[in-house]
Amino acid sequence: MKFETLTIHKGNHITDKNAPVVQPITLSTTFEHGNEGNMLYTRAGNPNRTALEEVLAAMEKGADAAAFSSGNAAGTAVYQALEPGSHIIAPNDMYHGLHNSMVQLFAGVLEVTFVDMSNLEAVKNAVRPNTKLFWIETPSNPLLKITDIRAIAQLAKAQGAILACDNTFATPVFQNPLDLGADIVMHSSTKYFGGHSDILGGALITKEKDSFWDKIRIVQRVGGAVPSPADCYWLTRSIRTLAYRMKGHAEHAMILAEFLLNHPHVEKVFYPGLKSHPGHAIAASQMSGFGGVVSFTVKGGAEDADLVVSKLNYFVNATSLGGVESLIERRAAVEGPDTLTPPNLLRVSVGLEHTDDLLEDMDQALG
């Protein structure tokens, strides 16, 4: 099946005797012993979660998938599955929630080195004898740096380490890290998978069902950070339109990026679809589209950036991304005092509104 077809049909399990076209929500927390699906207790397994995990694995061309209650829970499950004393190499501009998970939850348990993952030499120099995980995020959040997945995969293989890729920004519509050498793919399904800013969730997809994956499954089952049956249902429903939404997001993002590139009050634009982006060539070699997030720096400082945001009508000043509505945020204000994000940088999740309206609104706000 092609991608658009499998997202509609793969995660739709019909077992009801009335043969509904859409799989119903199974709210029961417990199941009669000896049932056909081997369901026992909904924390361990649920028909809606099984359906969701099946379509997630198919989208990323993986052997299995595990759904979690949030993107942070999914990423944290990978760190929990590592042996104490393991060393992680991670991006110095990664999503701050998972950055905090590494440095706060696992302080004294795991070691972490943060480097520019777009700089292969910096990554090589960070490798230690106990390096067990390379964590990459490409495009990165919020600077939209591009990491060469194939090159990092070679380093990980030589080290006998795991390569995990946060594929939230690209989605499997535009990038399949497992095909490029990654072992595990992570998603905040709150973002583009949900697509409407109303479902919290996370996911991991594995290339192989190995011993490390078994540990992750234990973390999921025993830790219990799993999505509700209703959230699994809504997420599976949203995924059916993912391919078409992503095409719109990417088209609109490119239009906005080109507009900003030529605006006199914009200092710099970060979008891998632009040929001026330092990672454009690598992005073009491993992505079929460049995603729906654009970051840019306003000429001036934080106050100037905040003023632009305050004048916007169609871009909502809010955290998160991936919804049909356009969102904008000054990321440094959210990430805290230790952030490396420029104080005048605005991250835009470009929505599906008409681009004429978006450009007109941005132009008047920039003055």
PDB file of all heavy atoms in Angstrom, residues 54-78:
ATOM      1  N   GLU A  54      -0.153  -0.287  15.160  1.00  0.00           N
ATOM      2  CA  GLU A  54       0.032  -0.952  13.868  1.00  0.00           C
ATOM      3  C   GLU A  54       0.230   0.062  12.749  1.00  0.00           C
ATOM      4  O   GLU A  54       1.125  -0.086  11.906  1.00  0.00           O
ATOM      5  CB  GLU A  54      -1.161  -1.848  13.550  1.00  0.00           C
ATOM      6  CG  GLU A  54      -0.988  -2.615  12.245  1.00  0.00           C
ATOM      7  CD  GLU A  54      -2.072  -3.653  12.005  1.00  0.00           C
ATOM      8  OE1 GLU A  54      -2.477  -4.321  12.982  1.00  0.00           O
ATOM      9  OE2 GLU A  54      -2.496  -3.792  10.844  1.00  0.00           O
ATOM     10  N   VAL A  55      -0.575   1.109  12.740  1.00  0.00           N
ATOM     11  CA  VAL A  55      -0.428   2.107  11.677  1.00  0.00           C
ATOM     12  C   VAL A  55       0.837   2.938  11.873  1.00  0.00           C
ATOM     13  O   VAL A  55       1.492   3.329  10.901  1.00  0.00           O
ATOM     14  CB  VAL A  55      -1.681   3.003  11.571  1.00  0.00           C
ATOM     15  CG1 VAL A  55      -1.798   3.997  12.720  1.00  0.00           C
ATOM     16  CG2 VAL A  55      -1.692   3.755  10.231  1.00  0.00           C
ATOM     17  N   LEU A  56       1.239   3.201  13.126  1.00  0.00           N
ATOM     18  CA  LEU A  56       2.481   3.918  13.387  1.00  0.00           C
ATOM     19  C   LEU A  56       3.685   3.150  12.845  1.00  0.00           C
ATOM     20  O   LEU A  56       4.571   3.726  12.198  1.00  0.00           O
ATOM     21  CB  LEU A  56       2.660   4.152  14.889  1.00  0.00           C
ATOM     22  CG  LEU A  56       1.722   5.157  15.560  1.00  0.00           C
ATOM     23  CD1 LEU A  56       1.877   5.084  17.078  1.00  0.00           C
ATOM     24  CD2 LEU A  56       1.998   6.573  15.067  1.00  0.00           C
ATOM     25  N   ALA A  57       3.731   1.853  13.110  1.00  0.00           N
ATOM     26  CA  ALA A  57       4.833   1.025  12.621  1.00  0.00           C
ATOM     27  C   ALA A  57       4.861   1.000  11.098  1.00  0.00           C
ATOM     28  O   ALA A  57       5.932   1.083  10.475  1.00  0.00           O
ATOM     29  CB  ALA A  57       4.714  -0.399  13.175  1.00  0.00           C
ATOM     30  N   ALA A  58       3.700   0.901  10.484  1.00  0.00           N
ATOM     31  CA  ALA A  58       3.632   0.866   9.022  1.00  0.00           C
ATOM     32  C   ALA A  58       4.102   2.177   8.402  1.00  0.00           C
ATOM     33  O   ALA A  58       4.831   2.178   7.403  1.00  0.00           O
ATOM     34  CB  ALA A  58       2.202   0.556   8.580  1.00  0.00           C
ATOM     35  N   MET A  59       3.714   3.304   9.008  1.00  0.00           N
ATOM     36  CA  MET A  59       4.105   4.600   8.453  1.00  0.00           C
ATOM     37  C   MET A  59       5.617   4.781   8.447  1.00  0.00           C
ATOM     38  O   MET A  59       6.181   5.346   7.518  1.00  0.00           O
ATOM     39  CB  MET A  59       3.457   5.731   9.263  1.00  0.00           C
ATOM     40  CG  MET A  59       1.978   5.898   9.043  1.00  0.00           C
ATOM     41  SD  MET A  59       1.363   7.484   9.672  1.00  0.00           S
ATOM     42  CE  MET A  59       1.774   7.389  11.406  1.00  0.00           C
ATOM     43  N   GLU A  60       6.285   4.323   9.516  1.00  0.00           N
ATOM     44  CA  GLU A  60       7.733   4.503   9.623  1.00  0.00           C
ATOM     45  C   GLU A  60       8.517   3.287   9.131  1.00  0.00           C
ATOM     46  O   GLU A  60       9.736   3.220   9.291  1.00  0.00           O
ATOM     47  CB  GLU A  60       8.130   4.827  11.074  1.00  0.00           C
ATOM     48  CG  GLU A  60       7.848   6.257  11.511  1.00  0.00           C
ATOM     49  CD  GLU A  60       8.784   7.277  10.869  1.00  0.00           C
ATOM     50  OE1 GLU A  60       9.538   6.908   9.941  1.00  0.00           O
ATOM     51  OE2 GLU A  60       8.748   8.438  11.289  1.00  0.00           O
ATOM     52  N   LYS A  61       7.800   2.313   8.547  1.00  0.00           N
ATOM     53  CA  LYS A  61       8.435   1.121   7.983  1.00  0.00           C
ATOM     54  C   LYS A  61       9.220   0.360   9.054  1.00  0.00           C
ATOM     55  O   LYS A  61      10.331  -0.128   8.813  1.00  0.00           O
ATOM     56  CB  LYS A  61       9.342   1.492   6.816  1.00  0.00           C
ATOM     57  CG  LYS A  61       8.640   2.280   5.716  1.00  0.00           C
ATOM     58  CD  LYS A  61       9.602   2.644   4.585  1.00  0.00           C
ATOM     59  CE  LYS A  61       8.941   3.499   3.531  1.00  0.00           C
ATOM     60  NZ  LYS A  61       9.873   3.848   2.426  1.00  0.00           N
ATOM     61  N   GLY A  62       8.631   0.290  10.252  1.00  0.00           N
ATOM     62  CA  GLY A  62       9.278  -0.387  11.362  1.00  0.00           C
ATOM     63  C   GLY A  62       8.672  -1.744  11.669  1.00  0.00           C
ATOM     64  O   GLY A  62       7.630  -2.118  11.121  1.00  0.00           O
ATOM     65  N   ALA A  63       9.314  -2.482  12.582  1.00  0.00           N
ATOM     66  CA  ALA A  63       8.840  -3.805  12.976  1.00  0.00           C
ATOM     67  C   ALA A  63       7.766  -3.730  14.048  1.00  0.00           C
ATOM     68  O   ALA A  63       6.937  -4.644  14.166  1.00  0.00           O
ATOM     69  CB  ALA A  63      10.007  -4.650  13.486  1.00  0.00           C
ATOM     70  N   ASP A  64       7.777  -2.651  14.844  1.00  0.00           N
ATOM     71  CA  ASP A  64       6.812  -2.527  15.937  1.00  0.00           C
ATOM     72  C   ASP A  64       6.769  -1.073  16.387  1.00  0.00           C
ATOM     73  O   ASP A  64       7.687  -0.293  16.109  1.00  0.00           O
ATOM     74  CB  ASP A  64       7.219  -3.429  17.113  1.00  0.00           C
ATOM     75  CG  ASP A  64       6.079  -3.686  18.085  1.00  0.00           C
ATOM     76  OD1 ASP A  64       4.908  -3.424  17.718  1.00  0.00           O
ATOM     77  OD2 ASP A  64       6.351  -4.148  19.206  1.00  0.00           O
ATOM     78  N   ALA A  65       5.712  -0.713  17.092  1.00  0.00           N
ATOM     79  CA  ALA A  65       5.567   0.639  17.623  1.00  0.00           C
ATOM     80  C   ALA A  65       4.974   0.575  19.013  1.00  0.00           C
ATOM     81  O   ALA A  65       4.254  -0.375  19.360  1.00  0.00           O
ATOM     82  CB  ALA A  65       4.679   1.488  16.706  1.00  0.00           C
ATOM     83  N   ALA A  66       5.282   1.580  19.817  1.00  0.00           N
ATOM     84  CA  ALA A  66       4.734   1.698  21.161  1.00  0.00           C
ATOM     85  C   ALA A  66       4.191   3.108  21.337  1.00  0.00           C
ATOM     86  O   ALA A  66       4.908   4.085  21.107  1.00  0.00           O
ATOM     87  CB  ALA A  66       5.812   1.418  22.215  1.00  0.00           C
ATOM     88  N   ALA A  67       2.929   3.216  21.724  1.00  0.00           N
ATOM     89  CA  ALA A  67       2.287   4.518  21.920  1.00  0.00           C
ATOM     90  C   ALA A  67       2.359   4.916  23.388  1.00  0.00           C
ATOM     91  O   ALA A  67       2.204   4.081  24.285  1.00  0.00           O
ATOM     92  CB  ALA A  67       0.836   4.467  21.457  1.00  0.00           C
ATOM     93  N   PHE A  68       2.583   6.205  23.628  1.00  0.00           N
ATOM     94  CA  PHE A  68       2.717   6.738  24.977  1.00  0.00           C
ATOM     95  C   PHE A  68       1.769   7.916  25.171  1.00  0.00           C
ATOM     96  O   PHE A  68       1.188   8.431  24.216  1.00  0.00           O
ATOM     97  CB  PHE A  68       4.161   7.171  25.236  1.00  0.00           C
ATOM     98  CG  PHE A  68       5.139   6.035  25.309  1.00  0.00           C
ATOM     99  CD1 PHE A  68       5.683   5.494  24.152  1.00  0.00           C
ATOM    100  CD2 PHE A  68       5.497   5.485  26.525  1.00  0.00           C
ATOM    101  CE1 PHE A  68       6.577   4.429  24.208  1.00  0.00           C
ATOM    102  CE2 PHE A  68       6.391   4.422  26.606  1.00  0.00           C
ATOM    103  CZ  PHE A  68       6.929   3.888  25.437  1.00  0.00           C
ATOM    104  N   SER A  69       1.655   8.356  26.404  1.00  0.00           N
ATOM    105  CA  SER A  69       0.713   9.425  26.739  1.00  0.00           C
ATOM    106  C   SER A  69       1.213  10.807  26.339  1.00  0.00           C
ATOM    107  O   SER A  69       0.449  11.764  26.340  1.00  0.00           O
ATOM    108  CB  SER A  69       0.425   9.405  28.244  1.00  0.00           C
ATOM    109  OG  SER A  69       1.637   9.502  28.982  1.00  0.00           O
ATOM    110  N   SER A  70       2.490  10.942  26.013  1.00  0.00           N
ATOM    111  CA  SER A  70       3.041  12.211  25.558  1.00  0.00           C
ATOM    112  C   SER A  70       4.351  11.954  24.836  1.00  0.00           C
ATOM    113  O   SER A  70       4.942  10.866  24.962  1.00  0.00           O
ATOM    114  CB  SER A  70       3.284  13.173  26.729  1.00  0.00           C
ATOM    115  OG  SER A  70       4.371  12.721  27.521  1.00  0.00           O
ATOM    116  N   GLY A  71       4.820  12.964  24.097  1.00  0.00           N
ATOM    117  CA  GLY A  71       6.120  12.840  23.447  1.00  0.00           C
ATOM    118  C   GLY A  71       7.239  12.722  24.468  1.00  0.00           C
ATOM    119  O   GLY A  71       8.196  11.965  24.279  1.00  0.00           O
ATOM    120  N   ASN A  72       7.133  13.451  25.569  1.00  0.00           N
ATOM    121  CA  ASN A  72       8.141  13.363  26.623  1.00  0.00           C
ATOM    122  C   ASN A  72       8.195  11.964  27.224  1.00  0.00           C
ATOM    123  O   ASN A  72       9.269  11.442  27.538  1.00  0.00           O
ATOM    124  CB  ASN A  72       7.854  14.390  27.722  1.00  0.00           C
ATOM    125  CG  ASN A  72       8.779  15.593  27.627  1.00  0.00           C
ATOM    126  OD1 ASN A  72       9.209  15.965  26.545  1.00  0.00           O
ATOM    127  ND2 ASN A  72       9.074  16.205  28.756  1.00  0.00           N
ATOM    128  N   ALA A  73       7.030  11.348  27.408  1.00  0.00           N
ATOM    129  CA  ALA A  73       6.993   9.990  27.948  1.00  0.00           C
ATOM    130  C   ALA A  73       7.661   9.007  26.989  1.00  0.00           C
ATOM    131  O   ALA A  73       8.370   8.092  27.415  1.00  0.00           O
ATOM    132  CB  ALA A  73       5.551   9.566  28.220  1.00  0.00           C
ATOM    133  N   ALA A  74       7.457   9.209  25.694  1.00  0.00           N
ATOM    134  CA  ALA A  74       8.068   8.327  24.698  1.00  0.00           C
ATOM    135  C   ALA A  74       9.582   8.466  24.716  1.00  0.00           C
ATOM    136  O   ALA A  74      10.310   7.463  24.793  1.00  0.00           O
ATOM    137  CB  ALA A  74       7.513   8.658  23.312  1.00  0.00           C
ATOM    138  N   GLY A  75      10.088   9.705  24.648  1.00  0.00           N
ATOM    139  CA  GLY A  75      11.532   9.897  24.673  1.00  0.00           C
ATOM    140  C   GLY A  75      12.152   9.417  25.966  1.00  0.00           C
ATOM    141  O   GLY A  75      13.207   8.763  25.964  1.00  0.00           O
ATOM    142  N   THR A  76      11.505   9.708  27.084  1.00  0.00           N
ATOM    143  CA  THR A  76      12.016   9.303  28.386  1.00  0.00           C
ATOM    144  C   THR A  76      12.087   7.784  28.514  1.00  0.00           C
ATOM    145  O   THR A  76      12.970   7.246  29.190  1.00  0.00           O
ATOM    146  CB  THR A  76      11.143   9.904  29.504  1.00  0.00           C
ATOM    147  OG1 THR A  76      11.220  11.333  29.432  1.00  0.00           O
ATOM    148  CG2 THR A  76      11.601   9.451  30.884  1.00  0.00           C
ATOM    149  N   ALA A  77      11.188   7.071  27.844  1.00  0.00           N
ATOM    150  CA  ALA A  77      11.211   5.603  27.876  1.00  0.00           C
ATOM    151  C   ALA A  77      12.512   5.056  27.287  1.00  0.00           C
ATOM    152  O   ALA A  77      13.032   4.036  27.754  1.00  0.00           O
ATOM    153  CB  ALA A  77      10.008   5.047  27.118  1.00  0.00           C
ATOM    154  N   VAL A  78      13.040   5.734  26.279  1.00  0.00           N
ATOM    155  CA  VAL A  78      14.320   5.310  25.693  1.00  0.00           C
ATOM    156  C   VAL A  78      15.434   5.466  26.719  1.00  0.00           C
ATOM    157  O   VAL A  78      16.269   4.573  26.897  1.00  0.00           O
ATOM    158  CB  VAL A  78      14.635   6.122  24.421  1.00  0.00           C
ATOM    159  CG1 VAL A  78      16.000   5.728  23.853  1.00  0.00           C
ATOM    160  CG2 VAL A  78      13.549   5.921  23.373  1.00  0.00           C
TER     161      VAL A  78
END
